[in-house]
Amino acid sequence: MPADEKPIASVWTRPRRGREQLSREQIVTQAVQLLDADGLESLSMRKLGTRLDAGATSLYRHVANKDELIELVVDEVYGELEIPAADTADAADWRTPAARSAYSLRAMILRHPWVASVLGQVGLIHLGPNVTKMSERMTAVYRAAGFPSDETGHAMKTVISYVIGMATSEAAYLSLIARSGKSEREFTESLHSGDEQHQQTEDPEKARDDTFDYGLRRVLDGLQARLDEIPGNTAQ
């Protein structure tokens, strides 16, 4: 490395501090709780320090700034994902682990709606252990399905993009309902209160699930069609 070129600083490459009253794990746990309760706009080192009963100086011993803190909390919630192992012996059933991975990602975003707005800010240079593990396991599912090596990443990202897009919209909708103080059914019915022809018969949560599932199946149908075009693909 040239003498005038400095390595890019990252929270993942910084040595951890020794025994201290405040740990990185405590900081991340409280930061996630703060974000879940009040949203991304509420996150500041000062507010987090108050929750931890510690000064901002103590936090800066573990994270250099808010951007590094976001890297940590995003990696933390990615650790909640359940990504099935790729079954190389049954490549034809690739859709099952792919769908389960998609459902798990959607559920995580709905639990932590703030994460959708910061996904583009992390993982571009330094990947945390949970994000790396998730990406590797999910990539393995599409590789085992029979996608060519130069298409595996594209196939995975196509599904992830669909999930993030849908879940982000859902999260915004649910946040709006939460601010209204109504249940989802009450909110939905209030939208049609003046429509005499409208009858609320379907559970709104089930309606959202069905809409997501329909779109996911169509995306997987498209990827399956691509697999069927590949000569000699054993998953056909």
Side-chain angles (χ1 to χ4, degrees):
M1 179 180 295
D4 60 346
E5 184 177 338
K6 296 181 180 180
I8 299 174
S10 169
V11 68
W12 303 112
T13 59
R14 183 179 301 109
R16 286 176 177 249
R17 297 278 180 173
R19 287 191 174 184
E20 292 188 11
Q21 184 176 359
L22 187 62
S23 68
R24 177 186 289 182
E25 289 74 17
Q26 289 174 305
I27 293 172
V28 172
T29 297
Q30 287 297 321
V32 171
Q33 292 179 7
L34 175 60
L35 287 163
D36 288 347
D38 301 325
L40 185 62
E41 297 77 11
S42 68
L43 183 62
S44 70
M45 302 299 271
R46 180 183 59 79
K47 287 186 178 180
L48 185 56
T50 299
R51 287 180 67 100
L52 290 161
D53 194 23
T57 302
S58 298
L59 272 63
Y60 286 123
R61 292 175 181 171
H62 298 272
V63 289
N65 49 48
K66 183 177 175 179
D67 289 339
E68 285 195 355
L69 180 58
I70 289 175
E71 284 190 62
L72 289 170
V73 294
V74 169
D75 193 72
E76 179 74 8
V77 297
Y78 261 89
E80 300 174 6
L81 295 184
E82 297 179 2
I83 310 297
D87 188 353
T88 56
D90 188 13
D93 190 35
W94 70 276
R95 292 176 62 130
T96 297
R100 285 178 57 190
S101 300
Y103 295 138
S104 182
L105 177 58
R106 174 191 179 231
M108 184 272 281
I109 294 174
L110 294 184
R111 285 194 299 272
H112 310 289
W114 51 268
V115 76
S117 62
V118 299
L119 289 179
Q121 301 177 31
V122 298
L124 300 179
I125 300 176
H126 298 286
L127 295 178
N130 289 328
V131 173
T132 299
K133 179 181 178 181
M134 178 279 298
S135 180
E136 291 175 347
R137 288 179 68 92
M138 195 174 290
T139 298
V141 169
Y142 293 90
R143 184 181 299 117
F147 285 99
S149 58
D150 61 341
E151 293 186 28
T152 300
H154 294 315
M156 177 187 70
K157 290 175 183 177
T158 296
V159 175
I160 290 177
S161 295
Y162 168 76
V163 175
I164 291 177
M166 289 293 292
T168 300
S169 178
E170 282 187 87
Y173 170 69
L174 293 175
S175 295
L176 176 63
I177 293 175
R179 291 194 297 271
S180 75
K182 299 178 181 179
S183 68
E184 186 172 358
R185 180 179 289 277
E186 290 171 340
F187 184 84
T188 303
E189 290 177 347
S190 69
L191 295 178
H192 303 279
S193 58
D195 185 358
E196 296 180 357
Q197 295 181 344
H198 177 80
Q199 293 182 348
Q200 182 65 41
T201 58
E202 187 175 24
D203 178 3
E205 182 177 354
K206 182 179 183 302
R208 286 190 292 105
D209 291 344
D210 290 346
T211 298
F212 177 85
D213 186 69
Y214 177 86
L216 177 61
R217 290 177 184 274
R218 300 297 77 79
V219 171
L220 296 180
D221 285 346
L223 292 176
Q224 182 63 60
R226 170 55 188 148
L227 284 173
D228 293 343
E229 295 175 348
I230 301 173
N233 191 340
T234 58
Q236 294 184 39

